Amino acid sequence: MKLLVTGGAGFIGSNFVHHMIKFHPEDTIVNYDLLTYAGNLENLKDIEGHPNYHFVRGNICNRELVDYVIDQFDIDTVVNFAAESHVDRSITEPDLFVKSNVLGTQTLLDVAKSKNINKYLQISTDEVYGSLGADGYFTETTPLAPNSPYSSSKASADLMVRAYYETFGMNVNITRCSNNYGPYHFPEKLIPLVVTNALEGKELPVYGDGKNIRDWLYVEDHCAAIDLVLHKGKPGEIYNVGGHNEKCNIDIVELIVDTLGKSRDLIKHVSDRLGHDRRYAIDPTKIETELGWKPQFNFDSGIKETIQWYLDHEDWWRKIKSGEYMDYYKMQYGAK
Ligand code: NAD
Ligand code: DAU
């Protein structure tokens, strides 16, 4: 395959590029990324110079450049990770989310259609289904009910992908995964924020009562699911991805603090996120039974390995936690 991987310099995208180079070294990977605050070429330093890996800096909204790159590298497959991904930022800057996530996806779809691309895969999220009560799971037929500007923009993009399948017969798939964790996770998100703040002796902000539930999956398990959908996904199908690993936020924060041997006094309950979804939980039956996917990593060892990764890569996160990041941090959490 000759893949255009958009957003390949972000958290999941860079893990996916590593996954593909490891398991499909014969494929060509063109990483097309705008390098926003969340894009970081340091994530890919070890594969720079690999003969089948190429990087192009660009916006997925830039039709001419996407068109040129697809021709130039004879691309046959598009995997779209590129997006504004942080719920909190979508509350303060929703327009950016509509531009990159909705218009960007539509632009990619349109160029892919004009080039007769073999497969277009949209990386979506469980957040498009909204929030669950204490019981039940999201299946692929759960109605879309997004609550944040972020999840609404992702749901809008998913509907556009559906339209290109229904109207133009494009070979598309959508994956909707739960919360990922692992290496290269940007430290604005809960797990890397808490690990790195704890290492710096800073307060650990927990929104509201800390009882909101997320369904955590190690990023490599997500990458393996995407690989499977690329190779075996049936045209037009949606696949939910998750490993039945529901955890309260406060339990995760306490686990990290205890693992690092820090004081729980660092934990600070702060104002709740506006429109904060209470619970996410994925039913992965379809991808398990139809494509044979199963998660390989359990949370207890995955979280320990992840914490160790941040201990071993202090340079990586210290470089990020300066400049623009600190402006955002002060705006979001105050000065501490
Ligand atoms: P991220 O914020 O770490 O990375 C996003 C990447 O996209 C960055 O490299 C950024 O530079 C790039 N980008 C942003 N706007 C762009 C644009 N207009 N043109 C080109 N590149 C652009 O995000 P992530 O956590 O790696 O998430 C990747 C994808 O997976 C997103 O689509 C997200 O919605 C989805 N997702 C994330 C999770 C999760 O837990 N992180 C779970 C399910 C789905
Ligand atoms: O479910 C998949 C989604 O997971 C992805 O689509 C998003 O791109 C990704 O960012 C993630 O969204 P969340 O909002 O669930 O992740 P975040 O790490 O921002 O927050 C996880 C939980 O922790 C959530 O309930 C909010 C809470 N939280 C978060 C931060 C940053 C805190 O309590 N304190 C914090 O400082």
Side-chain angles (χ1 to χ4, degrees):
M1 285 196 290
K2 292 184 178 159
L3 294 111
L4 184 70
V5 176
T6 65
F11 163 45
I12 306 174
S14 61
N15 276 284
F16 179 71
V17 171
H18 280 112
H19 171 98
M20 293 302 283
I21 298 279
K22 180 170 174 193
F23 293 102
H24 305 283
E26 70 292 354
D27 287 352
T28 297
I29 306 281
V30 179
N31 173 12
Y32 182 90
D33 195 299
L34 184 58
L35 299 183
T36 67
Y37 77 91
N40 188 351
L41 290 180
E42 298 264 323
N43 301 1
L44 296 153
K45 242 185 154 161
D46 50 329
I47 55 167
E48 260 172 29
H50 186 286
N52 290 343
Y53 169 74
H54 310 272
F55 174 73
V56 178
R57 185 174 192 178
N59 193 327
I60 56 169
C61 299
N62 183 340
R63 169 181 293 271
E64 290 69 33
L65 188 56
V66 173
D67 189 295
Y68 174 81
V69 170
I70 288 181
D71 279 348
Q72 200 66 20
F73 291 96
D74 201 16
I75 295 295
D76 53 38
T77 304
V78 175
V79 189
N80 181 26
F81 291 91
E84 289 294 334
S85 68
H86 194 33
V87 174
D88 291 328
R89 291 188 192 242
S90 82
I91 295 167
T92 47
E93 263 188 297
D95 53 330
L96 195 52
F97 286 68
V98 174
K99 283 181 193 135
S100 285
N101 301 2
V102 187
L103 295 176
T105 297
Q106 191 271 328
T107 304
L108 278 179
L109 283 164
D110 221 40
V111 180
K113 173 170 85 69
S114 75
K115 305 287 176 196
N116 291 319
I117 288 294
N118 291 342
K119 164 95 83 183
Y120 177 97
L121 172 51
Q122 177 75 0
I123 307 303
S124 187
T125 168
D126 59 358
E127 298 201 10
V128 297
Y129 298 121
S131 186
L132 289 165
D135 301 317
Y137 296 93
F138 298 133
T139 71
E140 289 79 359
T141 56
T142 300
L144 299 182
N147 293 316
S148 70
Y150 163 70
S151 54
S152 302
S153 71
K154 293 295 290 185
S156 306
D158 286 8
L159 292 178
M160 205 47 91
V161 176
R162 174 189 155 89
Y164 274 70
Y165 171 69
E166 294 291 343
T167 306
F168 305 114
M170 258 177 76
N171 180 5
V172 303
N173 285 122
I174 297 172
T175 54
R176 292 184 179 146
C177 189
S178 60
N179 285 62
N180 287 212
Y181 69 99
Y184 306 113
H185 203 180
F186 194 84
E188 66 187 348
K189 309 285 168 52
L190 181 74
I191 289 180
L193 177 76
V194 167
V195 172
T196 57
N197 271 18
L199 290 173
E200 292 181 294
K202 287 187 178 164
E203 280 177 353
L204 311 176
V206 173
Y207 296 159
D209 64 4
K211 299 281 189 222
N212 300 64
I213 291 174
R214 296 294 181 265
D215 185 358
W216 294 94
L217 185 74
Y218 193 67
V219 63
E220 173 53 25
D221 279 328
H222 186 190
C223 293
I226 294 167
D227 183 348
L228 211 52
V229 172
L230 267 181
H231 288 93
K232 290 197 192 163
K234 297 193 195 94
E237 293 296 312
I238 296 165
Y239 298 93
N240 282 356
V241 185
H244 282 300
N245 186 45
E246 293 177 50
K247 304 270 179 213
C248 279
N249 293 338
I250 189 68
D251 292 345
I252 299 233
V253 174
E254 288 180 356
L255 174 70
I256 293 170
V257 171
D258 296 349
T259 306
L260 286 171
K262 303 286 178 182
S263 165
R264 288 191 181 188
D265 292 343
L266 288 173
I267 298 171
K268 187 181 175 206
H269 286 266
V270 299
S271 308
D272 210 350
R273 174 183 278 175
L274 297 177
H276 197 174
D277 287 337
R278 194 64 173 169
R279 174 173 169 255
Y280 303 145
I282 283 279
D283 176 351
T285 306
K286 181 174 172 180
I287 192 166
E288 287 183 351
T289 54
E290 292 187 13
L291 304 187
W293 176 81
K294 267 233 167 306
Q296 303 299 316
F297 294 82
N298 80 50
F299 187 75
D300 292 343
S301 56
I303 192 73
K304 285 203 178 79
E305 277 176 33
T306 301
I307 292 169
Q308 190 59 47
W309 189 88
Y310 283 88
L311 284 164
D312 294 342
H313 293 81
E314 200 172 323
D315 274 5
W316 180 87
W317 57 263
R318 280 207 187 274
K319 259 187 233 162
I320 292 171
K321 290 184 95 172
S322 64
E324 191 276 345
Y325 178 91
M326 286 316 294
D327 295 341
Y328 162 77
Y329 190 86
K330 282 178 198 148
M331 188 269 297
Q332 182 69 16
Y333 301 102
K336 290 177 190 167

